[in-house]
């Protein structure tokens, strides 16, 4: 569970037993949603963009 002082909150997570993980994170300060992907020892994090190239903003979760 996220604490009130945690800046990032995981919205969802999916993956498999082969080490591939996909997650969505939201920044509580800005509301910007980020996509995290990991496969084995490699991974990356990037902002989720809409069709116009603007960052997607999600409702900021208050309670979990």
């Amino acid at each position: 569970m996220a604490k009130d002082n945690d800046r990032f909150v995981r919205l969802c997570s999916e993956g498999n037993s082969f080490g591939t993980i996909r997650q969505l994170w939201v920044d509580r300060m800005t509301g910007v949603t980020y996509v995290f992907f990991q496969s084995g020892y490699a991974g990356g994090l990037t902002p989720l963009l809409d069709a116009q190239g603007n960052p997607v903003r999600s409702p900021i979760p208050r309670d979990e």
Side-chain angles (χ1 to χ4, degrees):
M1 294 291 159
K3 295 177 257 171
D4 288 337
N5 60 354
D6 287 344
R7 180 165 178 175
F8 295 93
V9 177
R10 186 175 58 212
L11 295 179
C12 68
S13 179
E14 56 184 34
N16 60 32
S17 61
F18 298 109
T20 301
I21 299 170
R22 294 167 297 280
Q23 298 176 337
L24 291 178
W25 291 82
V26 65
D27 183 339
R28 286 185 183 209
M29 296 180 119
T30 65
V32 174
T33 304
Y34 295 87
V35 176
F36 173 73
F37 183 83
Q38 177 184 346
S39 181
Y41 294 110
L45 180 73
T46 187
L48 184 62
L49 303 177
D50 64 15
Q52 289 76 36
N54 299 316
V56 172
R57 296 183 187 271
S58 296
I60 299 172
R62 299 290 177 200
D63 296 307
E64 313 220 321

